[in-house]
Amino acid sequence: MGSVPIVEDGLAELLKQGLGSGALAFSTDNAWGVDSADFIFLCVPTPQGPNGRSNISIIERVATEIGPHLAPDAIVVNKSTVPVGSTHIVERALGREDVQVVSNPEFLREGSAVQDFLHPDRIVIGADDEASAIRLSALYLRLGAPVLVTDPATAETIKYASNAFLATKLSFINAVAALCEVVGADVRQVALGMGYDPRVGSSFLKPGPGWGGSCFPKDVAALIGIAEDAGYDFALLKGVVTVNAGQYERVVAKTLRLAGGEVRGKRVALWGVTFKARTDDIRDSPALEIARRLRELGAVVVAYDPTVHGPLDGLEVVGDPYAACVDVVALVIATEWDEFRWLDFEKVGGLMERRAVVDARNLLDPAAMRRAGFTYEGIGIV
Ligand code: UDX
């Protein structure tokens, strides 16, 4: 009790403060947790179910369990990402006429969740009942963020559409990166030039090994499913997913090429296992997908990540980045950990069987790497 089991900036301090002041307490007893609360936030997982559809059985079960214990006029706030229409499913599961259910999606990023929570871009509230929307928005008043009050279905759609749009932006820049490689352009400059236009915006324009994590893949698949169930073929989003899968493959193809066309029986180093830096989350990590495909080609993949320790299925995980490079035919940089920039690449090169680096995050200086005798490929850079 009192420790944070995940890597998340600032969370341990907040937890300590909350527990110390008595503002925060934990219990596994549903009645104790809710019977005197004005607001009950549901923050449970909605894992991916069959055909990419979102599985809301956990939220339904929780609602059924807490329903009888809720105080009169309590507001149940749904933070979980749920398919459109789920607010009403929660209402039914609660079985309480006097309790309102409000949708209030979260937009927190892993690694900066505390910062994002305290400084939100917007608060979205989806409610059928205006008084409940006003009561909930008062909770957020001090944060000074714009509050959008709408109906539940619209709030639920905003969450999915936001994530799907960001995934679209990433697949777009990854596709532009592929184009840059064949026409001899530099995607970093292209993104810079595009980003100055405020209609495009400069964020989420860094090409990489593909997007992953516990949200984008699940939410994009769920939105495609939601659309399909409603009779709309979201072909654009299907293309976004296809481009993403192709991006993993592109990194693997680069590795194979730089390794001399063959990795069977050879060692390949993988720097970065998490789906992005500043987290220890490896769920749906592009790094793991790339490792899996390299292993399918017969490679022995040796991984290093500052937050991932212990063996992973089929992967050798070592405790320092140099140890990963011993006798390898290529090094793949899959996560943008800052520490990778500052390593001794003379030492790295000396350990490798071939001085070949696939920098899937464009972390390093291509010219400096090539001067140091490496064959080097980034993403969208010639
Ligand atoms: C995302 C949304 O950003 C957040 O609003 C929502 O609440 C949850 O899903 P998160 O999963 O933490 O947050 O990851 P995010 O920072 O959005 O990155 C998603 C993926 O895109 C990662 O694999 C990341 O490496 C990749 N990415 C992101 C890029 O490849 N390039 C970029 O420029 C930005």
Side-chain angles (χ1 to χ4, degrees), residues 245-312:
Q247 194 66 8
Y248 308 145
E249 203 46 55
R250 290 175 53 74
V251 175
V252 172
K254 278 173 190 280
T255 310
L256 196 60
R257 200 166 55 244
L258 264 58
E262 182 61 87
V263 290
R264 186 161 300 280
K266 313 264 184 181
R267 292 166 74 83
V268 173
L270 179 72
W271 282 359
V273 177
T274 54
F275 80 101
K276 63 173 187 180
R278 296 166 63 212
T279 174
D280 59 349
D281 197 343
I282 59 169
R283 286 175 292 174
D284 271 327
S285 172
L288 287 178
E289 184 55 29
I290 289 162
R292 190 186 65 74
R293 292 178 190 210
L294 284 169
R295 285 205 323 274
E296 262 172 24
L297 294 171
V300 176
V301 181
V302 190
Y304 165 75
D305 188 291
T307 61
V308 178
H309 314 287
L312 284 174

Side-chain angles (χ1 to χ4, degrees), residues 5 13 54 85 101 108 110 235 237 242 293 298 328 339 343 347 373:
E13 291 77 7
S54 173
V101 182
L108 312 182
E110 289 184 28
L237 267 191
T242 306
R293 292 178 190 210
V328 297
E339 67 176 71
L343 295 173
K347 183 171 169 185

